[in-house]
Amino acid sequence: MANAGTTNTGAIDPLVELAEIARAEGLWHHVDAAYGGFAVLDPEVRPLLQGLELADSVTLDPHKWLMQPFETGCLMARDVTRLEAAFRILPDYMQDTDLGTQQVNFCNRGLQLTRAFRALRVWLSVQRYGLAAHRQAIAQAIGIAAEAADRVTGEDELELLAPPSLGVVCFRYRGLTTEPPVSEESLDELNRRIQDRIVQSGFAMIASTRLGDRFSLRFCVLNTRTTEDDVMQILDRVLEIGRELP
Ligand SMILES: Cc1ncc(COP(=O)(O)O)c(C=O)c1O
């Protein structure tokens, strides 16, 4: 399987190449686009996701970048008969519910038997706000993250820990001191404390992760109400606290 936007960094696998390998080897090719898939709505980002259309199945999470309440997960499969072969059960007490092959019964396509009509909220919000509003929200999030990444690159005391991608920016405070060399452990500890101060003070909810062996602060801009100013203020705080801490 390939990833069209990893949780950690937003990185996108080479989707075309992986699809070709899967086809040559006769493998089912699944793409996890739960986080990044809806970025296809942004015409500037869409080329990065080229190859998504070659997948045999794709997971998408409208509760991530389609502004839906959780949980509104979604799986698209090219050949739905495979799903039905895997999941369809018909115990005797359900014989009355057998709709035959002419009608869709979603309990034959996944683990859940009793399920809510989650698709309704997606349909309603696309009808109400239009795809253009969703497209604009995605482009805005990516734009804010790109501005944040530029600021991190421009500040000597900050460093990016991964290339920014699809609204995710991984970075850390490293200060100016190079003499004596600062150990990775002490940078981990410093950034953990910076995160702790920002979150505990209620100033902002900044996330963290580990990349390789390193502790990373992490922005994942998704909410339509997040502004560039919010993100810049958090970077200001990171710098202030980083300078204050011993
Ligand atoms: C790339 C990716 N795949 C899968 C998941 C899991 O999604 P869910 O929590 O909707 O099951 C996530 C959630 O963060 C994700 O980012």
Side-chain angles (χ1 to χ4, degrees):
M1 64 154 282
N3 212 311
T6 61
T7 315
N8 242 0
T9 63
I12 304 168
D13 281 334
L15 300 175
V16 174
E17 288 86 336
L18 289 170
E20 281 165 2
I21 293 171
R23 187 178 305 147
E25 300 290 335
L27 297 170
W28 178 282
H29 178 50
H30 177 74
V31 179
D32 180 354
Y35 173 66
F38 289 107
V40 293
L41 291 173
D42 181 343
E44 287 190 20
V45 179
R46 195 185 174 115
L48 299 177
L49 293 164
Q50 199 200 338
L52 187 55
E53 72 287 354
L54 302 173
D56 293 310
S57 55
V58 175
T59 36
L60 286 169
D61 265 354
H63 61 234
K64 295 194 166 71
W65 239 346
L66 216 61
M67 326 315 155
Q68 300 298 311
F70 75 88
E71 32 122 354
T72 316
C74 163
L75 173 75
M76 297 196 296
R78 193 174 293 283
D79 177 3
V80 80
T81 60
R82 303 257 193 138
L83 281 185
E84 296 195 344
F87 290 110
R88 189 170 187 277
I89 52 165
L90 192 65
D92 296 337
Y93 53 82
M94 279 178 56
Q95 60 188 9
D96 302 334
T97 67
D98 187 13
L99 304 175
T101 51
Q102 299 309 309
Q103 292 185 56
V104 175
N105 193 338
F106 284 103
C107 75
N108 293 332
R109 297 183 176 185
L111 286 171
Q112 247 182 316
L113 186 55
T114 307
R115 34 183 300 147
F117 186 8
R118 299 183 190 92
L120 179 63
R121 40 180 109 131
V122 181
W123 184 84
L124 274 176
S125 89
V126 173
Q127 291 298 317
R128 168 67 180 82
Y129 298 104
L131 264 191
H134 293 83
R135 183 175 285 124
Q136 198 267 334
I138 290 167
Q140 175 182 309
I142 292 177
I144 292 172
E147 291 295 329
D150 282 352
R151 167 101 190 266
V152 170
T153 310
E155 296 279 357
D156 292 340
E157 294 154 275
L158 302 177
E159 69 180 338
L160 285 176
L161 291 182
S165 178
L166 298 178
V168 182
V169 185
C170 291
F171 69 100
R172 69 177 173 182
Y173 180 85
R174 65 152 185 233
L176 291 173
T177 334
T178 48
E179 284 295 326
V182 186
S183 72
E184 288 295 329
E185 291 74 24
S186 63
L187 281 178
D188 282 2
E189 183 53 23
L190 177 58
N191 282 276
R192 199 174 290 117
R193 289 172 69 194
I194 292 173
Q195 180 201 23
D196 200 48
R197 281 240 197 139
I198 292 178
V199 174
Q200 294 308 325
S201 66
F203 183 77
M205 174 61 214
I206 180 164
S208 74
T209 186
R210 291 199 75 79
L211 292 176
D213 275 344
R214 300 191 288 190
F215 181 94
S216 172
L217 298 170
R218 175 173 170 275
F219 287 133
C220 177
V221 185
L222 277 181
N223 196 299
T224 49
R225 284 168 295 182
T226 301
T227 64
E228 188 178 321
D229 185 49
D230 293 334
V231 172
M232 291 304 164
Q233 282 192 45
I234 298 171
L235 288 174
D236 290 343
R237 282 300 286 150
V238 169
L239 286 165
E240 278 165 34
I241 299 170
R243 286 169 194 153
E244 264 167 47
L245 286 173

PDB file of all heavy atoms in Angstrom, residues 44-56:
ATOM      1  N   GLU A  44      -3.414  23.422  -7.539  1.00  0.00           N
ATOM      2  CA  GLU A  44      -1.944  23.530  -7.481  1.00  0.00           C
ATOM      3  C   GLU A  44      -1.313  22.295  -6.864  1.00  0.00           C
ATOM      4  O   GLU A  44      -0.167  21.961  -7.142  1.00  0.00           O
ATOM      5  CB  GLU A  44      -1.552  24.763  -6.670  1.00  0.00           C
ATOM      6  CG  GLU A  44      -1.819  26.010  -7.472  1.00  0.00           C
ATOM      7  CD  GLU A  44      -1.226  27.239  -6.827  1.00  0.00           C
ATOM      8  OE1 GLU A  44      -0.312  27.102  -5.990  1.00  0.00           O
ATOM      9  OE2 GLU A  44      -1.700  28.327  -7.168  1.00  0.00           O
ATOM     10  N   VAL A  45      -2.050  21.624  -6.001  1.00  0.00           N
ATOM     11  CA  VAL A  45      -1.497  20.466  -5.297  1.00  0.00           C
ATOM     12  C   VAL A  45      -1.799  19.173  -6.046  1.00  0.00           C
ATOM     13  O   VAL A  45      -1.058  18.188  -5.963  1.00  0.00           O
ATOM     14  CB  VAL A  45      -2.097  20.388  -3.869  1.00  0.00           C
ATOM     15  CG1 VAL A  45      -1.567  19.198  -3.118  1.00  0.00           C
ATOM     16  CG2 VAL A  45      -1.786  21.666  -3.111  1.00  0.00           C
ATOM     17  N   ARG A  46      -2.866  19.210  -6.789  1.00  0.00           N
ATOM     18  CA  ARG A  46      -3.358  18.010  -7.465  1.00  0.00           C
ATOM     19  C   ARG A  46      -2.268  17.207  -8.197  1.00  0.00           C
ATOM     20  O   ARG A  46      -2.215  15.985  -8.072  1.00  0.00           O
ATOM     21  CB  ARG A  46      -4.449  18.442  -8.455  1.00  0.00           C
ATOM     22  CG  ARG A  46      -5.254  17.302  -8.930  1.00  0.00           C
ATOM     23  CD  ARG A  46      -6.246  17.726  -9.999  1.00  0.00           C
ATOM     24  NE  ARG A  46      -6.850  16.493 -10.461  1.00  0.00           N
ATOM     25  CZ  ARG A  46      -8.111  16.198 -10.314  1.00  0.00           C
ATOM     26  NH1 ARG A  46      -8.925  17.044  -9.800  1.00  0.00           N
ATOM     27  NH2 ARG A  46      -8.553  15.028 -10.719  1.00  0.00           N
ATOM     28  N   PRO A  47      -1.350  17.881  -8.941  1.00  0.00           N
ATOM     29  CA  PRO A  47      -0.318  17.105  -9.651  1.00  0.00           C
ATOM     30  C   PRO A  47       0.531  16.237  -8.714  1.00  0.00           C
ATOM     31  O   PRO A  47       1.021  15.180  -9.103  1.00  0.00           O
ATOM     32  CB  PRO A  47       0.541  18.179 -10.329  1.00  0.00           C
ATOM     33  CG  PRO A  47      -0.351  19.374 -10.433  1.00  0.00           C
ATOM     34  CD  PRO A  47      -1.282  19.326  -9.265  1.00  0.00           C
ATOM     35  N   LEU A  48       0.694  16.678  -7.457  1.00  0.00           N
ATOM     36  CA  LEU A  48       1.496  15.889  -6.507  1.00  0.00           C
ATOM     37  C   LEU A  48       0.829  14.555  -6.187  1.00  0.00           C
ATOM     38  O   LEU A  48       1.484  13.615  -5.740  1.00  0.00           O
ATOM     39  CB  LEU A  48       1.676  16.657  -5.189  1.00  0.00           C
ATOM     40  CG  LEU A  48       2.393  17.992  -5.249  1.00  0.00           C
ATOM     41  CD1 LEU A  48       2.405  18.641  -3.876  1.00  0.00           C
ATOM     42  CD2 LEU A  48       3.816  17.775  -5.754  1.00  0.00           C
ATOM     43  N   LEU A  49      -0.473  14.502  -6.385  1.00  0.00           N
ATOM     44  CA  LEU A  49      -1.222  13.287  -6.047  1.00  0.00           C
ATOM     45  C   LEU A  49      -1.514  12.446  -7.282  1.00  0.00           C
ATOM     46  O   LEU A  49      -2.335  11.527  -7.239  1.00  0.00           O
ATOM     47  CB  LEU A  49      -2.521  13.658  -5.318  1.00  0.00           C
ATOM     48  CG  LEU A  49      -2.291  14.266  -3.930  1.00  0.00           C
ATOM     49  CD1 LEU A  49      -3.541  14.969  -3.438  1.00  0.00           C
ATOM     50  CD2 LEU A  49      -1.851  13.207  -2.932  1.00  0.00           C
ATOM     51  N   GLN A  50      -0.798  12.766  -8.356  1.00  0.00           N
ATOM     52  CA  GLN A  50      -1.012  11.994  -9.577  1.00  0.00           C
ATOM     53  C   GLN A  50      -0.701  10.525  -9.311  1.00  0.00           C
ATOM     54  O   GLN A  50       0.303  10.202  -8.665  1.00  0.00           O
ATOM     55  CB  GLN A  50      -0.083  12.528 -10.680  1.00  0.00           C
ATOM     56  CG  GLN A  50      -0.549  12.126 -12.052  1.00  0.00           C
ATOM     57  CD  GLN A  50       0.568  12.210 -13.062  1.00  0.00           C
ATOM     58  OE1 GLN A  50       1.541  12.930 -12.847  1.00  0.00           O
ATOM     59  NE2 GLN A  50       0.443  11.471 -14.140  1.00  0.00           N
ATOM     60  N   GLY A  51      -1.550   9.645  -9.771  1.00  0.00           N
ATOM     61  CA  GLY A  51      -1.367   8.219  -9.518  1.00  0.00           C
ATOM     62  C   GLY A  51      -2.391   7.692  -8.521  1.00  0.00           C
ATOM     63  O   GLY A  51      -2.632   6.501  -8.445  1.00  0.00           O
ATOM     64  N   LEU A  52      -3.019   8.609  -7.800  1.00  0.00           N
ATOM     65  CA  LEU A  52      -4.066   8.198  -6.850  1.00  0.00           C
ATOM     66  C   LEU A  52      -5.172   7.439  -7.589  1.00  0.00           C
ATOM     67  O   LEU A  52      -5.731   6.466  -7.091  1.00  0.00           O
ATOM     68  CB  LEU A  52      -4.632   9.459  -6.175  1.00  0.00           C
ATOM     69  CG  LEU A  52      -5.620   9.302  -5.024  1.00  0.00           C
ATOM     70  CD1 LEU A  52      -5.051   8.438  -3.924  1.00  0.00           C
ATOM     71  CD2 LEU A  52      -6.003  10.674  -4.461  1.00  0.00           C
ATOM     72  N   GLU A  53      -5.413   7.899  -8.821  1.00  0.00           N
ATOM     73  CA  GLU A  53      -6.505   7.309  -9.612  1.00  0.00           C
ATOM     74  C   GLU A  53      -6.182   5.886 -10.079  1.00  0.00           C
ATOM     75  O   GLU A  53      -7.055   5.179 -10.575  1.00  0.00           O
ATOM     76  CB  GLU A  53      -6.823   8.220 -10.816  1.00  0.00           C
ATOM     77  CG  GLU A  53      -5.787   8.255 -11.942  1.00  0.00           C
ATOM     78  CD  GLU A  53      -4.500   9.028 -11.586  1.00  0.00           C
ATOM     79  OE1 GLU A  53      -4.431   9.652 -10.511  1.00  0.00           O
ATOM     80  OE2 GLU A  53      -3.549   8.984 -12.394  1.00  0.00           O
ATOM     81  N   LEU A  54      -4.926   5.450  -9.898  1.00  0.00           N
ATOM     82  CA  LEU A  54      -4.551   4.099 -10.350  1.00  0.00           C
ATOM     83  C   LEU A  54      -4.795   3.046  -9.271  1.00  0.00           C
ATOM     84  O   LEU A  54      -4.642   1.852  -9.508  1.00  0.00           O
ATOM     85  CB  LEU A  54      -3.062   4.071 -10.736  1.00  0.00           C
ATOM     86  CG  LEU A  54      -2.648   5.060 -11.835  1.00  0.00           C
ATOM     87  CD1 LEU A  54      -1.135   5.065 -12.000  1.00  0.00           C
ATOM     88  CD2 LEU A  54      -3.336   4.705 -13.148  1.00  0.00           C
ATOM     89  N   ALA A  55      -5.178   3.499  -8.093  1.00  0.00           N
ATOM     90  CA  ALA A  55      -5.319   2.564  -6.958  1.00  0.00           C
ATOM     91  C   ALA A  55      -6.497   1.614  -7.157  1.00  0.00           C
ATOM     92  O   ALA A  55      -7.465   1.936  -7.839  1.00  0.00           O
ATOM     93  CB  ALA A  55      -5.524   3.363  -5.674  1.00  0.00           C
ATOM     94  N   ASP A  56      -6.397   0.448  -6.521  1.00  0.00           N
ATOM     95  CA  ASP A  56      -7.547  -0.465  -6.485  1.00  0.00           C
ATOM     96  C   ASP A  56      -8.515  -0.052  -5.386  1.00  0.00           C
ATOM     97  O   ASP A  56      -9.705  -0.322  -5.463  1.00  0.00           O
ATOM     98  CB  ASP A  56      -7.069  -1.900  -6.215  1.00  0.00           C
ATOM     99  CG  ASP A  56      -6.253  -2.428  -7.381  1.00  0.00           C
ATOM    100  OD1 ASP A  56      -6.730  -2.328  -8.526  1.00  0.00           O
ATOM    101  OD2 ASP A  56      -5.119  -2.906  -7.148  1.00  0.00           O
TER     102      ASP A  56
END
